[in-house]
Amino acid sequence: MSLFISIEGPDGSGKSTQARLLADTLRAQGFPVLTTREPGGTPVGEAVREIVLHPREMPATPTTIALLYATSRSELVQTVIRPALRQGTSVVADRYADSTIAYQSFGLGVPLDVTRCLAEIATDGLTPDVTVYVDILPERGLERLAGRRGENWLDRESAAFHTRVRDGYLQMMEEDPARWVRVDGDAPPEAVHGAILRALEPILKSERNAV
Ligand code: TMP
């Protein structure tokens, strides 16, 4: 048995730290765990990362950017995530399809039916067992990133953009409460980690019992 857990959140929410802490704890509990990040994780994904994340200015139209993220995801699902899950390894994904819906649709205005269709194609229908949303108010997230901001075009997006992204996450969570758990990212990392473990305990328990 294996679990597929995705971690989502606005920039500066600390979700990558949480993905790492969660994977470490699950490994310590005896689960084999693979972590992924998006975009990236395959040669195609790393090439997309270069194209999409490194330029100082927005490198393409919003729809093209959504297609690029979907390209990276499709390759990751087919060559990394599905094979891992099939052989009994759990996967902790630092971002997944919800990021494209939040950032490209809510943030950049790509129609929702487009990003939902891309999600369907890129994930090949593979939905996380649970998605952890690490919440942070845009001003706090941006404050945390202050030292880093200005490196690339996404870092330089406006507070209004980040507010739309967060609103998008909140809406997705409301529409599918069974899949999402929300934790407050504005707490010390260890406290956030504890909250995530508490929220995941029922699913981890049933997984342990199934082994
Ligand atoms: P990171 O901060 O988690 O490394 O993510 C990289 C950036 O890419 C972050 O600003 C969110 C953005 N992003 C999208 O806009 N759409 C996506 O589908 C993904 C995976 C990330």
Side-chain angles (χ1 to χ4, degrees):
M1 289 293 284
S2 47
L3 281 174
F4 180 24
I5 302 169
S6 62
I7 315 279
E8 294 281 352
D11 293 41
S13 61
K15 69 169 173 48
S16 299
T17 303
Q18 293 306 323
R20 188 169 35 78
L21 290 173
L22 178 61
D24 288 347
T25 298
L26 294 182
R27 284 189 194 108
Q29 293 183 0
F31 289 91
V33 178
L34 178 84
T35 54
T36 61
R37 70 164 184 183
E38 290 201 20
T42 65
V44 168
E46 292 302 326
V48 167
R49 196 170 182 92
E50 277 296 315
I51 297 170
V52 173
L53 293 187
H54 288 179
R56 283 186 67 77
E57 304 302 331
M58 192 154 101
T61 67
T63 301
T64 304
I65 290 172
L67 283 160
L68 285 165
Y69 281 118
T71 301
S72 169
R73 183 165 307 123
S74 171
E75 189 69 6
L76 189 68
V77 167
Q78 293 183 61
T79 67
V80 178
I81 298 180
R82 267 206 201 278
L85 293 170
R86 234 181 257 129
Q87 65 169 42
T89 298
S90 292
V91 175
V92 175
D94 181 351
R95 295 199 183 282
Y96 195 56
D98 301 309
S99 281
T100 304
I101 297 174
Y103 280 80
Q104 276 61 60
S105 280
F106 287 90
L108 293 179
V110 175
L112 266 173
D113 56 350
V114 172
T115 50
R116 289 203 169 121
C117 174
L118 288 179
E120 212 31 58
I121 296 169
T123 65
D124 190 27
L126 180 69
T127 307
D129 297 300
V130 57
T131 298
V132 177
Y133 173 63
V134 184
D135 194 22
I136 193 90
L137 287 173
E139 53 270 30
R140 274 292 289 143
L142 295 178
E143 212 176 283
R144 283 183 175 174
L145 294 177
R148 200 192 90 182
R149 262 168 82 71
E151 274 179 15
N152 72 17
W153 66 279
L154 269 159
D155 292 335
R156 291 151 73 211
E157 279 291 348
S158 67
F161 167 83
H162 291 282
T163 301
R164 291 196 300 276
V165 169
R166 177 171 182 265
D167 289 346
Y169 278 123
L170 297 178
Q171 187 171 314
M172 280 189 272
M173 224 176 325
E174 217 173 275
E175 284 167 3
D176 188 8
R179 173 165 67 91
W180 292 79
V181 299
R182 177 193 166 278
V183 294
D184 179 8
D186 198 11
E190 279 305 328
V192 180
H193 179 51
I196 291 175
L197 290 182
R198 281 193 297 282
L200 296 187
E201 188 47 31
I203 191 169
L204 294 178
K205 196 170 164 188
S206 67
E207 203 61 23
R208 274 186 224 108
N209 292 340
V211 176

